[in-house]
Amino acid sequence: MKKLIEQILFDFKAQPVMGIVSVIGTALAILLVMTVTIVYEVDYAPIAPEGNRDRLLYDRGIFLQKDGGSSACGSISLEAIDKLYRPIKDVETLAVVSSYAEAASLLSDDGKTRVSADLRQADGNIWKVFDYRFISGRPFCADEVSAGRSVAVITESVARKLFNTPDAAGHTFRLRGKEYKVTGVVEDISPVMKMSYAGVWTPIEEAPAATPDMDAYDRWMGEYAAILLLHDKADIPKVRREAHRLHLAFNKELAIGGLERVDLGAPFTQIEMSQLKGNNNPPDMDFYYQLRIILVAIFLLVPAINLSSMTQGRLRRRRHEIGVRRAFGASWTDVLMGILRENFVVTLLGGIVGFILSMVVVKLNVEMLFDNDSWEVASMPLRVTAGMLFRPALFGWTLLFCFVLNLLSAGIPAIRAARVSPVEALNYSEK
């Protein structure tokens, strides 16, 4: 390792401009690749409080069509969730939550402070599905939800604004003319985490009972989403098959009234949810994967071609050194591996610089890189946490990209240089 570092330092001193350009070129390539990777992974990687994303399934909306041709789409009703997902046995937890957060005004118990916060209704299982971190009190439970208790969980920032302290369990506030008791306070959630985000959570309000004269759209469309936490991610295909069977039975019931729920593929995995555009269009996963492949290929191949030319130039200047090593018994594979190791260290250096720059770029350009759904406006500013930016998996991706970039940029030049005969290398002179 010491000799390897000494060789790299010697090359940098002999060709400083080329060495610096190589590092910068690698850093820019990794910057682009890692920025794209971070933006994509925030949508589907296990990140607190959505640490169970790999074994979650979602149904956030419903698309209904009538025989006559009219149609409507929106979030799903509690009754529809009961029919479509409550009977499934191979589910650890079924949680129901408002499909989208909505703006609400909270009034402190002393009547002096009013705070705007994003409200979500949820059942008692939401705390089992998502791993919120409580800094005061506890979550409200299923019994409190079923009993219609006026309880709530709020975030730390809401607690500080409303009560001037994060330890707000036991305090009360008024919301839409009703008094709520705070059972617990959780750490702030970034709006980037679309399904777990809110500023305040209250129990689900009881839906009106279905009546014979109720419009079918009103009956099956509501404001909720179903979230299924599975025992294991390997159960996803089995649960989806059972959900599909229940969907067919549900459509038989709808057919009596001349109605049909269009099958868009629900329930969706986390990565499919990230590509869901509205409740009447299925996620286009083929386009998603093709776009990612094309972007990564461009970000790797273009700099690799440029870096390959610079590597070829550096190796031409080292032909005499390579010839001496070959003359003293070094095999061409020894020379090849030595060149690749040296180039990998340089690539890794540029990769680390690019990785750090990517986190800075994402941190400083959150509003440009991330957005909420067009119909959902969060009162809290978009932000990314340290857990979103720096994870072992991301550093692993950096190492992989560096390794691939190293092979692409140095592989062919290194093979050509290593296979040159000792006599030809020693007699080589630049014109």
Side-chain angles (χ1 to χ4, degrees), residues 117-132:
D118 295 312
L119 167 69
R120 253 193 167 120
Q121 293 183 19
D123 65 4
N125 287 335
I126 192 67
W127 317 110
K128 300 176 184 177
V129 169
F130 297 132
D131 46 338
Y132 297 100

Side-chain angles (χ1 to χ4, degrees), residues 242-314:
E242 178 63 12
H244 182 68
R245 185 187 68 79
L246 291 169
H247 178 268
L248 293 177
F250 181 64
N251 262 352
K252 287 182 180 180
E253 181 178 346
L254 295 183
I256 298 174
L259 202 64
E260 175 192 14
R261 183 193 184 187
V262 180
D263 187 2
L264 302 179
F268 300 107
T269 61
Q270 180 69 42
I271 194 168
E272 290 170 340
M273 271 287 294
S274 70
Q275 299 305 303
L276 195 61
K277 309 301 180 186
N279 295 313
N280 57 349
N281 290 296
D284 190 347
M285 299 311 297
D286 289 338
F287 174 77
Y288 170 80
Y289 290 120
Q290 289 170 6
L291 180 61
R292 287 203 65 178
I293 292 172
I294 291 171
L295 288 176
V296 172
I298 291 174
F299 293 154
L300 283 176
L301 288 176
V302 173
I305 293 171
N306 294 327
L307 292 173
S308 179
S309 300
M310 287 187 284
T311 302
Q312 185 77 48
R314 290 206 322 267

Side-chain angles (χ1 to χ4, degrees), residues 233-247:
K233 62 182 179 181
D235 294 334
I236 289 177
K238 179 171 57 175
V239 171
R240 278 181 142 174
R241 285 194 297 270
E242 178 63 12
H244 182 68
R245 185 187 68 79
L246 291 169
H247 178 268

Side-chain angles (χ1 to χ4, degrees), residues 69-257:
S70 65
S71 63
C73 64
S75 297
I76 194 167
S77 71
L78 295 175
E79 186 179 0
I81 290 175
D82 288 341
K83 288 182 176 292
L84 290 168
Y85 297 108
R86 198 72 66 182
I88 300 178
K89 303 298 182 184
D90 297 311
V91 172
E92 182 176 317
T93 304
L94 170 62
V96 180
V97 64
S98 297
S99 189
Y100 301 98
E102 58 176 318
S105 179
L106 282 57
L107 182 66
S108 62
D109 45 11
D110 59 9
K112 295 180 179 180
T113 306
R114 188 174 293 277
V115 173
S116 178
D118 295 312
L119 167 69
R120 253 193 167 120
Q121 293 183 19
D123 65 4
N125 287 335
I126 192 67
W127 317 110
K128 300 176 184 177
V129 169
F130 297 132
D131 46 338
Y132 297 100
R133 184 173 180 273
F134 279 80
I135 58 178
S136 175
R138 60 168 179 82
F140 54 74
C141 61
D143 290 340
E144 290 171 314
V145 175
S146 59
R149 301 270 179 86
S150 299
V151 291
V153 170
I154 60 178
T155 60
E156 181 181 359
S157 62
V158 172
R160 289 186 183 278
K161 293 175 183 177
L162 208 55
F163 307 113
N164 295 317
T165 175
D167 188 15
H171 283 264
T172 60
F173 65 87
R174 296 194 69 81
L175 170 64
R176 296 170 181 170
K178 191 175 181 180
E179 186 175 80
Y180 286 83
K181 180 180 178 180
V182 178
T183 64
V185 180
V186 298
E187 287 186 342
D188 287 352
I189 314 300
S190 171
V192 172
M193 313 301 286
K194 290 183 171 63
M195 292 307 297
S196 59
Y197 165 75
V200 54
W201 293 261
T202 60
I204 289 175
E205 297 176 358
E206 186 176 352
T211 59
D213 59 339
M214 178 181 283
D215 184 89
Y217 288 149
D218 292 335
R219 181 178 180 183
W220 303 117
M221 292 172 58
E223 55 183 274
Y224 299 102
I227 307 175
L228 290 73
L229 175 64
L230 311 188
H231 297 285
D232 190 276
K233 62 182 179 181
D235 294 334
I236 289 177
K238 179 171 57 175
V239 171
R240 278 181 142 174
R241 285 194 297 270
E242 178 63 12
H244 182 68
R245 185 187 68 79
L246 291 169
H247 178 268
L248 293 177
F250 181 64
N251 262 352
K252 287 182 180 180
E253 181 178 346
L254 295 183
I256 298 174

